[in-house]
Amino acid sequence: MRSQVPVDHDPAPRDSVPWRDPRLSPTQRAEALVPLMSLEEKVAQLVGVWVGAEASGDGVAPHQADMIDGAPTWSTIIQHGLGQLTRPFGTAPVDPVRGARSLAASQAQIVAASRFGIPAQVHEECLTGFAAWRATVYPAPLGWGASFDPELVEEMAGRIGRSMRAAGVHQGLAPVLDVTRDYRWGRTEETIGEDPYLVGTTGAAYVRGLERAGVVATLKHFVGYSASRGGRNLGPVSMGRRELADVILPPFEMALRLGGARSVMHSYAEIDGLPVAADEGLLTGLLRDEWGFTGTVVADYFAVRFLQTLHGVAADAADAARLALRAGIDVELPTVDAYGAPLVAAVRSGAVDEALVDRALRRVLTQKIELGLLDEDWQELPDDVADLRLDDGAGRDVAVRLAREAVVLLRNSDVLPLPAGRRVALVGPVADDPMAMLGCYSFPNHVGVRHPEHGLGLDIASLRDELARRVPRLRYEPGCAVTGGDTSGIPAAVAAATDADVCVLAVGDRAGMFGRGTSGEGCDAGDLRLPGVQAELVRAVLATGTPVVLVLLTGRPYALGPEFDAAAAVVQAFFLGQRGGQALAEVLTGAVNPSGRLPVSVPRDAAGLPGTYLTPKLGRRSEVSSVDPTPAYPFGHGLSYTTFDWSDAGVCGPAGEPAVDPAPAARWPVDGAVTVGITVRNTGSRAGTEVVQLYLHDPVAQTTRPVVRLVGYARVPLEPGAAARVTFGVPADVASFTGLGGRRIVEPGEVELRFGRSSGEPAATLSLRLTGAERPVGNRRELLTSVRVDPAVAVPHPG
């Protein structure tokens, strides 16, 4: 039931209170409420308060005093209302049911304390699952990218959203849409990959899943965060407008238009000297005026005050609030600071126009109305809270399916799958560590490490646990730790490998925060060598002559130079989640045929940085530089236990039928689309999934272009001997880029569409000519290449 509000706060009947009237639009209701509110009541809606749910179920405990000197008491904070509650489940371990009851109790207090009885909007982290104790932990975003399976990512996000909504949470701070630019950056594990099309399509799928569950998705981090100098967290960004427009921005545009995200979190970055938090051109001019975004812009944690303390563009808290509010930040998170008393004083003094407060307030109230928080029948406590379970069989099933698809087989000299009955040595510091499966924003790593007395709250098996169930003759030695210089365990690992028929060597990362791990926020790397003495362990084990399966459980790609070439097989996995041990063991033993593809390239040189596959010609190997940036394994690479044949590539008619064009290059109108297809056949003895990738090559353009860039992809599951025809409908808009005049254009001329097993392994190339006059494209351009996968039929080839 809705909380009872004191008589003097009780709203009038519905007919006389338009802001309660569900017959009006959310915008109309918000407009009706804004003029009734005092300045203090308005500003109260623009801030969050960091809280933790009490284990007793009686309420929440404010944590803002841990971060801000002289923070007000809870009763003072809520006397005029409250915009957001920050992470009541994600601050300390709490039983989910008791946490939901505590949250409901606090909402009742908020409603009762203020004149209008407006509940707070509740947000939580949800990148690898609802960041709450005992909630399912899914693979990290690099794993989503490795799957090349947006539909499964959408299913995962839907489950995450439903669990959050059932607990009383309204907003999730995900997905991360930063395109990987420098693998040394600690938050690489949170990115989906290094290609904007892969990031955008996968990120939009996540958004759809979360939003359809009734939870506001928040796009992070708008924009430029991943392109910091040296891969350092919060480092300045030196980036031209074309890189920003053509590489960094597209995933956000796709997630807004194709996913329907209702919130955006700005980035900590400063681009060419201007902090994004103060950039009106980005947060208002581009995001709202050009793209038409109508949702809320929320501050990354403490970023408003950072305009003063870190960037030095504001004199004090009030000045920081002025800059942020003018730029377009509607809500200050995580807790009340600059948007509190300093902002009120600045408005009263005339330093800040109250119209800016009203602008942000309208957006906040509109979103709360959309969520039902101002409806008469709103309830603090969901009816079925007693049955709340955040980790169930259905969630674990999605987690393991996604983890299986995220495992990438990089090399295999017939040592995998592991033969039955062989003696297997399992070596390495991450082989027997359940935490090696979890990213830094998983609850056990993000919060649980500070509360070891509560345990993980989940059943998370290590690789050793799962292999031991499948490999009877298994011997384990850690060899070394993830970090540190202790090599005393290496001789025992060498002995185990020497006595085995095959050795599985598992090395990698430990996710953490701000230097407490080797991957994660604030855990940047100086180069791409394996942490600690793990490379020494690898060299020593490889020297035994025993066939070695090198398994990398990491949050970023590490360099695999010539010293690793002796490995008989190489498997890459990026923080596979709570069922990752099972998925990895199934792939190693052959129960699952690997189908993952690299969402980031694996470099060969640990220091020839930065560089991703998305580069113009001079970013590749050349005679004018002694540094060779050629990767050990390119973006999109991945092997299978079966084999596939690709044939009959060609330009097709609109329905996929063969098309005959007498010109040397098929015509592709600059305002139209081209349909291309290829047949893929499973020529091996077991079922498998091929990932067909389509790349665009533009050999001559008015600005330098990437040698190739992804414009389409499809997962194609095939039984032995089966074949499928994969057809892509590619709109010319997908070939657009930022031209000389700073506008996005489709330029006529010769181009190629390349079917590839990876960005570095084309299987077939089609020459086309974009015809017509140079065409500007606006913000309603086509963003997606359509895909069809049909059972193969005999396709006559012209000529």
Side-chain angles (χ1 to χ4, degrees), residues 268-490:
Y268 288 126
E270 58 179 69
I271 302 175
D272 194 25
L274 179 59
V276 174
D279 193 336
E280 188 175 4
L282 279 175
L283 299 183
T284 296
L286 175 67
L287 184 61
R288 295 192 184 278
D289 296 342
E290 292 188 35
W291 289 1
F293 177 63
T294 60
T296 57
V297 174
V298 300
D300 205 342
Y301 284 12
F302 307 107
V304 175
R305 177 70 82 148
F306 284 171
L307 292 173
Q308 173 199 358
T309 59
L310 297 184
H311 296 294
V313 297
D316 52 27
D319 199 26
R322 176 184 65 84
L323 290 174
L325 199 61
R326 184 183 67 184
I329 296 175
D330 303 314
V331 180
E332 181 183 29
L333 298 179
T335 205
V336 58
D337 182 22
Y339 276 23
L343 178 57
V344 171
V347 172
R348 295 212 185 281
S349 71
V352 173
D353 189 343
E354 189 170 351
L356 292 176
V357 173
D358 290 349
R359 182 180 71 172
L361 177 62
R362 289 187 190 96
R363 296 166 184 161
V364 168
L365 292 177
T366 298
Q367 191 162 98
K368 286 191 173 186
I369 292 166
E370 290 172 348
L371 290 166
L373 297 183
L374 273 68
D375 292 348
E376 290 287 359
D377 59 354
W378 172 80
Q379 299 182 99
E380 314 95 342
L381 193 65
D383 291 328
D384 55 353
V385 69
D387 300 321
L388 182 62
R389 298 291 182 272
L390 304 182
D391 179 46
D392 58 18
R396 291 190 292 271
D397 175 68
V398 173
V400 75
R401 285 192 285 129
L402 184 54
R404 288 166 179 155
E405 293 186 4
V407 177
V408 186
L409 178 61
L410 299 181
R411 181 193 305 161
N412 187 20
S413 300
D414 296 326
V415 70
L416 290 178
L418 294 172
R422 306 295 292 276
R423 295 170 300 163
V424 177
L426 177 62
V427 169
V430 299
D432 195 31
D433 184 3
M435 299 292 276
M437 300 293 167
L438 309 182
C440 80
Y441 266 80
S442 66
F443 186 89
N445 262 333
H446 200 69
V447 178
V449 291
R450 300 194 301 273
H451 304 273
E453 70 279 6
H454 287 271
L456 293 177
L458 297 167
D459 180 17
I460 304 176
S462 68
L463 175 58
R464 181 189 181 186
D465 295 332
E466 292 290 348
L467 267 185
R469 296 188 179 104
R470 296 164 174 82
V471 179
R473 305 172 71 185
L474 185 72
R475 175 180 173 184
Y476 166 71
E477 290 289 345
C480 65
V482 170
T483 58
D486 186 1
T487 61
S488 61
I490 292 180

Side-chain angles (χ1 to χ4, degrees), residues 407-419 502-504 547-552 560 564-572 586-590 592-595 597 632-633 637-643 686:
V407 177
V408 186
L409 178 61
L410 299 181
R411 181 193 305 161
N412 187 20
S413 300
D414 296 326
V415 70
L416 290 178
L418 294 172
V502 62
C503 176
V504 176
V548 173
V549 178
L550 179 63
V551 176
L552 296 119
L560 297 179
F564 297 101
D565 287 348
V570 181
V571 176
Q572 174 69 64
E586 288 172 339
V587 168
L588 293 175
T589 57
V592 168
N593 193 349
S595 62
R597 300 294 184 266
Y633 302 98
H637 175 76
L639 303 177
S640 171
Y641 293 150
T642 190
T643 55
R686 63 176 295 173

Side-chain angles (χ1 to χ4, degrees), residues 54-59 98-99 101-103 105:
E54 296 284 13
S56 64
D58 294 334
R98 292 181 178 179
R101 295 188 186 281
S102 291
L103 176 57

Side-chain angles (χ1 to χ4, degrees), residues 715-741:
R715 287 179 59 87
V716 186
L718 293 169
E719 293 296 319
R725 185 71 177 173
V726 184
T727 306
F728 295 97
V730 190
D733 289 359
V734 172
S736 65
F737 62 94
T738 303
L740 288 174

Side-chain angles (χ1 to χ4, degrees), residues 506-559:
V507 294
D509 278 319
R510 176 66 183 267
M513 301 282 288
F514 301 109
R516 295 189 292 272
T518 60
S519 174
E521 186 172 1
C523 297
D524 310 315
D527 58 41
L528 295 177
R529 296 177 178 87
L530 284 166
V533 295
Q534 292 182 89
E536 186 173 341
L537 171 65
V538 173
R539 286 190 291 268
V541 172
L542 289 175
T544 64
T546 299
V548 173
V549 178
L550 179 63
V551 176
L552 296 119
L553 286 166
T554 66
R556 62 166 63 84
Y558 284 101

